[in-house]
């Protein structure tokens, strides 16, 4: 029997996400996987009400009322001399009990149903942020300046896959998929990782430098920037040790 072994440097990871991720299922899954600090925060009721109205009245403007009591929905009609804004609906939280009331009674049940639907699920951009934060917490780096494709060292893949299972299991429409493409330790993969790290360090160092030299920044903000810088140093040291990269210039 011939046994061929390859040195796995790490993996390129990316994902496609559906629009219907269950809030409770993802929160529980991440906590069980040891990623509780990355679990999503519940959206405020005002943010949910605004998203509800935006979904129900596409193309309309949704503006908050004074005192954050609710929102008014208006429609802009283009005119030759000037545009006119027509009132569509005002929706508020009921002052005398639970629920949402509007000045269109026939729509109250529709608004309530959509509100409850959105309250139980997470938009895809929130799940993307969670996965991205997890990648960076595991010493990953982005392979593209715009994000979307990331690289993780080999020893972190098992932990990341636990988070992947939580995300996929919480997808009620089963459209969320996370892909992990393992890469061999060769000159090409090392060069790609080194370039990615150099770009990340350049971006983060600029942000840290601006914060440290900002005369309006407080003591705690500058201490946070220093800790961020130290974290980047430690990250580079781990990459040098694990992959044999020379990163002293970074």
């Amino acid at each position: 029997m011939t046994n061929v072994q390859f040195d796995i440097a790490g993996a390129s990871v990316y994902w496609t996400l559906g629009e219907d991720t269950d809030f409770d299922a993802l929160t529980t899954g991440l906590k069980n996987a040891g990623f509780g600090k990355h679990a999503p925060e519940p959206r405020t009721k005002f943010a949910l009400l605004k998203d509800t109205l935006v979904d129900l009245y596409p193309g309309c403007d949704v503006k908050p009322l004074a005192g954050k009591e609710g929102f008014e929905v208006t429609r802009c009609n283009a005119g030759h001399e000037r545009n006119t804004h027509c009132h569509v609906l005002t929706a508020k939280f009921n002052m005398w009990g639970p629920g949402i009331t509007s000045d269109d009674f026939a729509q109250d049940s529709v608004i309530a149903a959509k509100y409850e639907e959105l309250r139980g699920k997470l938009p895809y951009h929130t799940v993307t942020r969670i996965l991205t934060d997890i990648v960076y917490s595991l010493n990953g780096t982005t392979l593209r300046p715009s994000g979307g494709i990331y690289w993780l060292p080999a020893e972190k893949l098992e932990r990341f896959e636990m988070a992947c299972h939580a995300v996929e299991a919480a997808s009620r429409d089963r459209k969320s998929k996370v892909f992990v493409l393992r890469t061999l330790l060769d000159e090409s993969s090392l060069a790609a990782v080194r370039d990615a790290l150099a770009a990340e360090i350049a971006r983060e160092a600029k942000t840290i430098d601006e914060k440290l030299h900002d005369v309006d920044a407080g003591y705690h903000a500058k201490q946070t920037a220093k800790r961020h810088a130290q974290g980047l140093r430690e990250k580079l040291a781990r990459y040098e040790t694990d992959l044999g990269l020379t990163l002293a210039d970074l």
Side-chain angles (χ1 to χ4, degrees):
M1 180 182 69
T2 302
N3 186 11
V4 180
Q5 293 185 339
F6 297 98
D7 290 328
I8 301 298
S12 300
V13 301
Y14 62 97
W15 48 81
T16 59
L17 301 174
E19 289 284 355
D20 196 357
T21 296
D22 187 277
F23 178 92
D24 292 332
L26 181 59
T27 299
T28 301
L30 289 176
K31 288 181 178 178
N32 290 340
F35 292 102
K37 70 177 182 179
H38 297 288
E41 292 288 337
R43 284 184 284 176
T44 68
K45 65 178 186 179
F46 293 103
L48 278 170
L49 179 54
K50 181 177 181 179
D51 288 346
T52 297
L53 298 173
V54 169
D55 271 20
L56 290 176
Y57 300 95
C60 293
D61 294 323
V62 180
K63 301 295 185 183
L65 301 171
K68 294 185 177 180
E69 296 177 350
F71 297 88
E72 181 189 17
V73 181
T74 59
R75 180 177 290 107
C76 180
N77 297 318
H80 293 291
E81 300 297 331
R82 65 185 183 90
N83 295 335
T84 58
H85 296 270
C86 301
H87 174 81
V88 177
L89 175 138
T90 296
K92 300 181 180 181
F93 289 100
N94 193 342
M95 295 178 59
W96 313 110
I100 301 166
T101 59
S102 74
D103 53 6
D104 185 352
F105 178 76
Q107 286 294 97
D108 284 5
S109 61
V110 177
I111 294 171
K114 174 60 72 172
Y115 180 89
E116 288 302 315
E117 175 191 336
L118 294 183
R119 189 164 68 91
K121 72 178 185 179
L122 289 166
Y124 75 91
H125 56 80
T126 298
V127 184
T128 288
R129 178 184 54 78
I130 290 171
L131 280 170
T132 303
D133 289 346
I134 289 174
V135 165
Y136 282 114
S137 75
L138 296 174
N139 296 324
T141 187
T142 178
L143 292 175
R144 297 192 309 172
S146 59
I149 303 176
Y150 304 87
W151 192 88
L152 274 172
E155 73 275 7
K156 301 295 184 180
L157 294 180
E158 185 176 354
R159 292 280 294 126
F160 181 69
E161 287 174 347
M162 294 173 67
C164 297
H165 293 323
V167 169
E168 292 178 351
S171 176
R172 291 190 290 206
D173 57 10
R174 296 293 180 261
K175 291 183 179 180
S176 294
K177 301 292 181 183
V178 185
F179 303 94
V180 178
L181 306 180
R182 285 168 172 77
T183 57
L184 298 179
L185 184 61
D186 58 17
E187 290 185 6
S188 178
S189 60
L190 289 177
V193 172
R194 193 187 191 288
D195 288 349
L197 280 171
E200 179 186 346
I201 295 301
R203 291 193 305 271
E204 298 302 316
K206 183 175 183 293
T207 301
I208 291 169
D209 188 61
E210 289 174 350
K211 182 62 66 177
L212 291 175
H213 290 87
D214 183 358
V215 295
D216 295 323
Y219 172 80
H220 292 295
K222 294 191 176 186
Q223 288 299 108
T224 298
K226 283 187 175 184
R227 287 193 294 271
H228 188 187
Q230 183 59 35
L232 289 175
R233 285 180 175 273
E234 293 171 357
K235 181 175 183 176
L236 289 174
R238 283 191 289 269
Y239 271 78
E240 285 185 316
T241 301
D242 296 342
L243 299 182
L245 292 172
T246 302
L247 304 171
D249 57 320
L250 296 183

